[in-house]
């Protein structure tokens, strides 16, 4: 909670309130208790890890003062919750609890504690005690979240967490996608009636869920962790991804040694070549992005074959590009019916063949492609006879044209690294920019993204001070000491600004000169002055390098124009006004382009993807890609090695949209920032999607976004800080790990952004199975109901839980939804709707359910395989 909000809630005694995070009418809020002070110890006297003094009178007095102070902020019930300890306490627990026992015992005998009672309590006991009081009183209702978060004055916003350690943010999302997909895959296979060691799968799947949960710990997903913790998080998530992929393998094709196969995935030092996430590209931090048919399964001398199975857990069909490596040129590709599959790319690489082909996967289903022997499929062409020339590469140029699936995108390079993107009459501009944070002025660290106004204000305070001093000295020379210096001999005959000009006209001209001087100096410092020079201007001898030239210039101009005291004061004040207006109204100029030249594109064309690459700086490159599986989405990808003390952003400009909307997985939420808000306070978390007017940008990792002016969208992609902001980490966050951020720019102005985002963030998985795997091309769960998406599905010991989300008001027929399932299915629904109290859930037999737009329902499917369907 921002400090302004905390003051407002505390001053009105409403720190216990009803929090309604959903905007839909009829929903119940969450009763929330907000701590008036930090959750640590009441004072250092209670830090028994570092003191063995237990003075009962002193400690009881501190507790009593704390209780009387807090009871005014929670007045409805008279109960005060005091937190004892934090993340790093109770190393000496016996000493701590021994003293607390003595305090409780002493409070019962102390005269001043007659009207108060001190006791141990759990959170459940406390909440049960205050519940009757809260029921009897109307509570304050708060809607939405508390962003942006500013914990102290002087514009200290916690916006840095939105860009810290972007690789970890990407890895958490990638692992979560794999685990959720495998959960749904296990549940779907279970509903088919497939026999498998479900208890074994569930045990290992629970391990994967826990690693993802650890990845969403506040020190992991925010990136505010030490280097050692970062390495541990990465290893845990990579292991969870490997294990989950192996679980999916076993669920699709049950084997006798399931435990041994899954256990082997824990110790693997690289991704399993028999399964991968189709959303992964070779540029995504060296993650494996292809399948491999092992030489033991298929070589030129003998090809037993294998089945490539692609699974889809989305309630909509998906086209996906599958990348495969085969060690036999005589192998053939056929579908489930024996019809040859036409690859879009075949290339001989060393002793293997790299193959790419497009598969259309049905909703909540699977599709298989057999890699077989030529003798079994005589009509199918061999891979060695289908070699398609490698991607055609064009020479570097300032222009690039991308073609895929009937979509044409034209790229044009402009000055300052701006790329003009044209498609279907729409124009979007892309540019890589960076904010410079000065560690000698204000320390931006792992958490805090400081306002840049303070850094520039110091520079212009020096600038303004020297300007005033120079003008003052020139005035003194002009009116008093004519016998010194040469300025008494210099005259400017221009009447309006000379000594003979009218007072009003001269003051107006002085004000105009000062305002323009201040505004131009801001623009020059923000865009042209080197970062090293800005460093020098704020510390040590470097201050003189700024002060001396400004002082001399003001002295010469003031003396030459014969300004009197009034005009000099007007000029200095106008300079300050010009600086203030430029900083407040020209916030977009506080960042600077990462390069001042035009980018040179290297273009590659293939039947799979058309790609244009360009080098922005030595450590930063951009890539624009248009692929066959999603030709309506332009992938603008950035590979960044963040320099120290930089906030790297990707800026997109299109149209004049002013309303920034963010999708959090449940609903679109509008975000607005005042024009006077400093830049860090305009950044908001965008976990999935950001939309500004007709510009929709999808992401596969959480990022920070901001809109500083109409039609402008800034995306925070990376940062590295050498200073300590003295929050939780208590050390600098220097992130040398390269990270890739991919923005999916929707080229269709009328597309449903939520439906597109479901496609982007629910990618299919691909597996290599035995050649005769029994994989039906039809989905286990099928829905003819539009505007419906699967939020989650999970198999239990005797049931399957399925959560559905309706994007519009719709009717759900359970018979149509589950028409392909095996066994007798009894559906229990409507037991966890959003408008049902969490205290009392209902579970009723359901065959038909009506959902409103944005509403979710959880259905429990009881499956009895011993009965006929």
């Amino acid at each position: 909670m921002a400090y302004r909000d905390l003051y407002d809630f505390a001053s009105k005694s409403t720190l216990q309130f009803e929090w309604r995070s959903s905007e839909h009418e009829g929903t119940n809020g969450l009763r929330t208790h907000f701590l008036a002070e930090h959750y640590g110890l009441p004072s250092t006297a209670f830090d028994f890890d570092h003191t063995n003094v237990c003075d009962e009178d002193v400690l009881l007095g501190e507790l009593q003062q704390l209780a009387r102070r807090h009871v005014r902020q929670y007045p409805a019930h008279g109960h005060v919750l005091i937190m004892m300890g934090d993340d790093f306490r109770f190393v000496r627990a016996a000493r701590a609890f021994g003293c607390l026992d003595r305090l409780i015992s002493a409070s019962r005998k102390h005269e001043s504690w007659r009207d108060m009672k001190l006791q141990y309590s759990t959170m459940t006991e406390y909440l049960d005690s205050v519940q009757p009081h809260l029921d009897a009183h109307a509570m304050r209702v708060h809607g939405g979240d508390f962003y942006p978060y500013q914990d102290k004055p002087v514009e200290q916003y916690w916006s840095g967490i939105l860009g810290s350690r972007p690789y970890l943010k990407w890895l958490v999302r990638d692992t979560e996608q794999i685990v959720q997909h495998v959960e749904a895959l296990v549940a779907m296979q279970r509903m088919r009636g497939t026999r498998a060691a479900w208890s074994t799968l569930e045990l290992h799947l629970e391990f994967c869920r826990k690693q993802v949960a650890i990845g969403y710990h506040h020190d992991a997903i925010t990136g505010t962790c030490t280097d050692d913790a970062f390495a541990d998080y990465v290893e845990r998530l990579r292991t969870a991804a490997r294990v989950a992929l192996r679980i999916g393998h076993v669920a699709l094709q049950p084997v006798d040694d399931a435990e041994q196969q899954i256990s082997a995935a824990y110790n693997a030092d690289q991704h399993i070549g028999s399964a991968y996430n189709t959303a992964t590209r070779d540029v995504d931090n060296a993650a494996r992005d292809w399948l491999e048919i092992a030489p033991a399964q298929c070589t030129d001398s003998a090809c037993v074959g294998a089945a490539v199975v692609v699974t889809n857990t989305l309630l909509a069909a998906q086209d996906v590009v599958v990348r495969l490596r085969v060690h036999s040129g005589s192998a053939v590709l056929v579908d489930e019916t024996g019809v040859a599959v036409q690859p879009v790319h075949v290339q001989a690489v060393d002793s293997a063949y790299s193959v790419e082909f497009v598969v259309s996967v049905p909703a909540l289903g699977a599709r298989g492609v057999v890699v077989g022997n030529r003798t079994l499929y005589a009509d199918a062409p061999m891979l060695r006879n289908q070699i398609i020339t490698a991607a055609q590469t064009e020479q570097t140029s300032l222009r690039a044209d991308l073609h895929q699936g009937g979509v044409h995108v034209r790229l044009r390079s402009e000055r300052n690294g701006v790329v003009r993107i044209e498609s279907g009459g729409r124009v979007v501009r892309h540019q890589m920019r960076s904010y410079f944070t000065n560690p000698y002025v204000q320390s931006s660290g792992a958490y805090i993204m400081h306002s840049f106004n303070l850094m520039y204000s110091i520079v212009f305070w020096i600038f303004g001070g020297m300007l005033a001093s120079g003008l003052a000295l020139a005035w003194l020379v002009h009116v008093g000491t004519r016998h010194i210096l040469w300025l008494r001999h210099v005259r400017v005959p221009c009447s309006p600004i000379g000594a003979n000009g009218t007072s009003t006209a001269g003051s107006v001209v002085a004000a105009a000169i000062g305002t323009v001087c201040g505004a131009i100096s801001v623009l020059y410092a923000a865009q042209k002055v080197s970062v090293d020079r800005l460093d020098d201007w704020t510390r040590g001898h470097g201050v003189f390098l700024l002060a001396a030239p400004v002082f001399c210039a003001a002295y010469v101009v003031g003396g030459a124009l014969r300004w009197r005291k009034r005009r000099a004061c007007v000029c200095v004040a106008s300079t300050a006004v010009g600086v203030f207006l430029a900083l407040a109204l020209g916030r977009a100029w506080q960042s600077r382009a990462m390069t001042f030249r035009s980018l040179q594109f290297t273009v590659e064309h293939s039947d799979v993807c058309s790609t244009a690459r360009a080098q922005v700086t030595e450590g930063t490159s951009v890539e624009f890609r248009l692929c066959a599986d999603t030709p309506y989405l332009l992938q603008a990808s950035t590979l960044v090695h963040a320099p120290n003390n930089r906030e790297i952003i990707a800026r997109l400009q299109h149209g004049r949209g002013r309303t920034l909307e963010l999708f959090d997985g449940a609903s679109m939420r509008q975000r607005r920032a005042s024009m006077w808000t400093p830049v860090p306070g305009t950044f908001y978390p965008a976990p999935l999607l950001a939309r500004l007017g007709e510009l929709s940008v999808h992401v596969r990792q959480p990022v920070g976004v901001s809109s500083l002016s109409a039609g402008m969208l800034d995306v925070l992609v990376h940062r590295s800080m050498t200073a300590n902001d003295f929050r939780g980490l208590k050390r600098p966050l220097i992130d040398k790990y390269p990270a890739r951020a991919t923005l999916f720019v929707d080229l269709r102005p009328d597309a449903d952004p939520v439906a597109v985002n479901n496609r982007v963030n629910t990618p299919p998985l691909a597996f290599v199975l035995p050649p005769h795997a029994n994989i039906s091309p039809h989905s286990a769960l099928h829905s003819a109901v539009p505007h419906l998406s699967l939020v989650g599905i999970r198999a239990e010991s005797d049931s399957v839980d399925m959560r559905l989300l309706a994007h519009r008001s719709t009717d759900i027929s359970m018979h149509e939804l589950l028409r392909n399932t095996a066994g007798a299915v009894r559906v229990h629904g409507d037991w966890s709707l959003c408008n049902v109290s969490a205290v009392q859930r209902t579970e009723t037999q359901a065959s038909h359910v009506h959902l409103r737009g944005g509403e979710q329902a959880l259905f429990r499917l009881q499956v009895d395989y011993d009965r006929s369907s």
Side-chain angles (χ1 to χ4, degrees):
M1 187 181 292
Y3 78 95
R4 292 189 182 93
D5 293 328
L6 179 59
Y7 175 80
D8 178 63
F9 277 71
S11 62
K12 298 177 181 178
S13 301
T14 54
L15 287 176
Q16 287 178 333
F17 55 93
E18 185 175 333
W19 190 3
R20 294 181 181 175
S21 58
S22 174
E23 296 179 349
H24 301 107
E25 296 182 1
T27 59
N28 293 327
L30 181 68
R31 288 185 172 178
T32 305
H33 175 99
F34 195 91
L35 296 176
E37 298 180 10
H38 189 264
Y39 60 82
L41 302 170
S43 71
T44 56
F46 291 87
D47 187 4
F48 300 110
D49 290 343
H50 299 91
T51 179
N52 56 2
V53 177
C54 183
D55 191 323
E56 297 177 4
D57 293 334
V58 172
L59 296 181
L60 285 176
E62 290 195 19
L63 289 177
Q64 195 171 56
Q65 292 179 6
L66 179 67
R68 296 189 184 281
R69 185 168 66 248
H70 281 198
V71 77
R72 295 192 297 268
Q73 297 170 339
Y74 309 98
H77 43 71
H79 294 265
V80 176
L81 179 67
I82 300 176
M83 307 298 289
M84 283 289 178
D86 54 29
D87 310 45
F88 310 102
R89 294 298 184 269
F90 294 105
V91 175
R92 302 183 181 276
R95 179 191 299 174
F97 284 104
C99 185
L100 293 177
D101 289 340
R102 289 171 54 188
L103 294 180
I104 294 175
S105 177
S107 66
R108 296 169 181 170
K109 306 174 184 178
H110 210 284
E111 185 69 22
S112 61
W113 279 78
R114 285 189 173 183
D115 59 341
M116 302 175 65
K117 180 181 179 182
L118 182 64
Q119 68 178 57
Y120 287 118
S121 174
T122 64
M123 289 300 302
T124 300
E125 292 173 340
Y126 172 77
L127 295 176
D128 289 343
S129 300
V130 303
Q131 188 75 20
H133 303 275
L134 299 181
D135 292 337
H137 296 81
M139 300 182 66
R140 176 173 178 171
V141 177
H142 178 79
D145 54 25
F146 293 94
Y147 226 87
Y149 177 52
Q150 180 188 1
D151 65 342
K152 297 178 181 179
V154 198
E155 313 306 339
Q156 302 193 52
Y157 291 93
W158 285 47
S159 301
I161 61 177
L162 304 179
S164 295
R165 299 201 188 276
Y167 172 71
L168 186 56
K169 291 177 169 61
W170 170 85
L171 187 60
V172 171
R173 175 68 58 80
D174 184 71
T175 306
E176 180 189 35
Q177 289 174 350
I178 294 174
V179 173
Q180 288 187 346
H181 188 115
V182 171
E183 282 184 336
L185 192 62
V186 170
M188 287 191 294
Q189 290 300 102
R190 181 171 173 78
M191 292 183 65
R192 292 179 190 271
T194 306
R195 302 293 181 177
W198 299 111
S199 59
T200 299
L201 299 188
E202 178 62 27
L203 178 65
H204 293 287
L205 198 54
E206 186 64 20
F207 165 81
C208 300
R209 296 188 190 105
K210 290 179 179 179
Q211 307 316 306
V212 174
I214 291 175
Y216 276 110
H217 180 265
H218 63 81
D219 283 342
I221 193 62
T222 61
T224 55
C225 53
T226 64
D227 292 340
D228 292 338
F230 169 75
D232 181 65
Y233 288 138
V234 169
E235 180 59 30
R236 287 176 175 272
L237 293 168
R238 287 176 175 172
T239 302
R242 291 195 305 266
V243 173
L245 288 173
R246 180 56 66 182
I247 293 172
H249 236 286
V250 175
L252 288 171
Q253 190 65 27
V255 293
D256 295 333
D257 59 342
E259 177 65 32
Q260 290 78 1
Q261 288 197 21
I262 297 175
S263 298
Y266 286 88
N267 302 319
D269 57 356
Q270 59 183 356
H271 283 268
I272 301 173
S274 57
Y276 83 107
N277 184 354
T278 58
T280 305
R281 296 285 190 263
D282 57 348
V283 294
D284 286 328
N285 305 289
R288 174 164 289 186
D289 69 328
W290 38 264
L291 296 173
E292 183 173 9
I293 308 297
Q297 293 176 275
C298 192
T299 61
D300 287 333
S301 58
C303 186
V304 178
V308 175
V309 178
V310 185
T311 58
N312 175 25
T313 59
L314 191 65
L315 270 175
Q318 296 196 63
D319 292 334
V320 60
V321 176
V322 178
R323 292 172 290 277
L324 176 68
R325 180 168 294 182
V326 185
H327 295 267
S328 172
S330 61
V332 298
L333 300 180
V334 295
D335 61 15
E336 299 98 331
T337 62
V339 178
V341 174
Q342 180 62 42
V344 293
H345 177 72
V346 180
Q347 182 180 0
V349 180
D350 298 330
S351 60
Y353 290 84
S354 177
V355 185
E356 297 183 27
F357 55 91
V358 180
V359 176
S360 181
V361 193
L364 278 173
R367 183 73 70 186
V369 174
V370 177
V371 182
N373 196 319
R374 179 74 165 80
T375 59
L376 298 177
Y377 307 98
D379 295 333
M382 294 185 295
L383 292 179
R384 67 164 56 98
N385 297 332
Q386 302 185 75
I387 293 181
I388 301 174
T389 307
Q392 301 175 0
T393 303
E394 298 180 1
Q395 297 295 326
T396 57
S397 65
L398 298 177
R399 298 184 178 185
D401 293 298
L402 307 181
H403 304 269
Q404 204 64 241
V407 179
H408 178 209
V409 176
R410 178 173 297 174
L411 306 178
R412 297 292 181 266
S413 182
E414 300 177 353
R415 291 188 306 171
N416 297 331
V418 176
V419 177
R420 178 186 174 95
I421 305 170
E422 301 178 17
S423 178
R426 305 183 70 202
V427 177
V428 179
R429 283 179 168 83
H430 178 280
Q431 185 186 29
M432 295 304 301
R433 302 179 67 88
S434 65
Y435 289 103
F436 162 64
T437 60
N438 192 330
Y440 306 105
V441 176
Q442 216 172 18
S443 56
S444 293
Y447 298 81
I448 302 299
M449 184 179 182
H450 275 300
S451 171
F452 310 100
N453 291 341
L454 181 58
M455 178 185 68
Y456 290 124
S457 296
I458 290 180
V459 170
F460 295 115
W461 177 79
I462 299 173
F463 179 92
M466 292 301 100
L467 178 65
S469 300
L471 292 176
L473 182 60
W475 175 75
L476 289 175
V477 170
H478 173 67
V479 299
T481 52
R482 296 178 178 272
H483 63 283
I484 64 171
L485 300 184
W486 60 274
L487 288 177
R488 62 191 182 92
H489 301 294
V490 179
R491 295 184 183 276
V492 178
C494 188
S495 176
I497 60 175
N500 299 324
T502 63
S503 176
T504 302
S507 298
V508 170
V509 173
I513 291 177
T515 304
V516 172
C517 181
I520 292 179
S521 62
V522 168
L523 177 62
Y524 177 76
Q527 298 298 309
K528 300 299 183 182
V529 177
S530 69
V531 171
D532 293 337
R533 183 61 55 83
L534 284 174
D535 269 347
D536 291 339
W537 281 355
T538 56
R539 61 190 179 98
H541 65 279
V543 176
F544 179 77
L545 300 177
L546 172 64
V550 175
F551 175 83
C552 294
Y555 178 61
V556 170
V557 172
L561 299 181
R562 296 294 191 269
W563 275 348
R564 299 190 182 279
K565 179 171 62 175
R566 176 182 174 182
R567 297 179 187 177
C569 293
V570 168
C571 181
V572 173
S574 300
T575 302
V577 171
V579 169
F580 174 77
L581 292 177
L583 289 175
L585 302 180
R587 296 177 300 177
W589 290 101
Q590 292 187 27
S591 65
R592 64 175 63 187
M594 296 188 68
T595 180
F596 297 107
R597 59 180 177 83
S598 298
L599 302 182
Q600 297 283 334
F601 294 113
T602 300
V603 185
E604 294 181 357
H605 294 292
S606 72
D607 292 334
V608 179
C609 292
S610 296
T611 307
R613 297 183 178 90
Q615 196 72 25
V616 180
T617 62
E618 182 178 354
T620 303
S621 61
V622 295
E623 176 183 279
F624 300 93
R625 174 177 290 191
L626 205 62
C627 293
D629 51 355
T630 53
Y632 49 85
L633 292 177
L634 177 65
Q635 302 177 29
S637 185
T638 306
L639 180 62
V640 182
H641 292 73
N644 287 337
N645 300 313
R646 299 292 191 280
E647 317 265 0
I648 309 299
I649 64 170
R651 174 168 292 175
L652 298 170
Q653 291 180 280
H654 171 71
R656 303 295 299 171
R658 294 182 177 274
T659 302
L660 177 62
E661 296 179 282
L662 305 179
F663 181 58
D664 58 7
S667 61
M668 298 290 291
R669 181 177 296 276
Q670 293 187 1
R671 299 290 193 176
R672 290 187 179 90
S674 167
M675 62 180 296
W676 304 106
T677 303
V679 171
T682 64
F683 277 91
Y684 293 92
L688 297 169
L689 160 67
R691 183 171 65 181
L692 185 65
E694 294 184 347
L695 177 63
S696 295
V697 178
H698 306 266
V699 292
R700 282 202 176 111
Q701 68 189 59
V703 296
V705 297
S706 169
S707 180
L708 299 178
S709 63
M712 179 183 295
L713 184 68
D714 287 350
V715 182
L716 181 61
V717 297
H718 207 340
R719 62 196 302 268
S720 180
M721 300 293 130
T722 62
N724 182 7
D725 55 14
F726 298 98
R727 296 310 193 271
L729 188 59
K730 297 183 180 179
R731 67 182 67 182
L733 190 145
I734 302 176
D735 187 4
K736 293 301 182 182
Y737 207 94
R740 178 172 293 276
T742 302
L743 310 180
F744 295 81
V745 182
D746 200 334
L747 302 176
R748 304 167 300 174
D750 56 347
D752 181 1
V754 175
V756 175
N757 192 266
N758 287 334
R759 167 69 176 87
V760 170
N761 281 286
T762 314
L765 299 184
F767 301 86
V768 174
L769 298 178
H772 303 295
N774 183 21
I775 300 299
S776 170
H778 303 290
S779 63
L781 300 176
H782 175 78
S783 175
V785 182
H787 316 305
L788 192 68
S789 65
L790 181 73
V791 178
I793 184 170
R794 177 173 175 175
E796 297 291 348
S797 59
D798 58 351
S799 64
V800 174
D801 290 348
M802 178 174 60
R803 181 180 290 275
L804 299 177
L805 168 66
H807 300 294
R808 301 180 187 177
S809 295
T810 184
D811 292 319
I812 303 176
S813 171
M814 293 295 105
H815 297 293
E816 178 66 18
L817 182 69
L818 305 170
R819 66 184 183 187
N820 289 331
T821 58
V825 179
R826 297 186 301 277
V827 183
H828 299 272
D830 203 21
W831 67 283
S832 186
L833 289 174
C834 294
N835 59 356
V836 175
S837 172
V839 178
Q840 183 178 2
R841 290 179 173 175
T842 60
E843 185 171 339
T844 58
Q845 192 80 13
S847 61
H848 184 275
V849 175
H850 174 78
L851 289 181
R852 293 178 297 175
E855 198 170 35
Q856 297 185 28
L858 180 65
F859 300 96
R860 173 156 293 172
L861 315 177
Q862 301 288 341
V863 184
D864 184 359
Y865 295 116
D866 296 331
R867 297 170 57 187
S868 59
S869 58

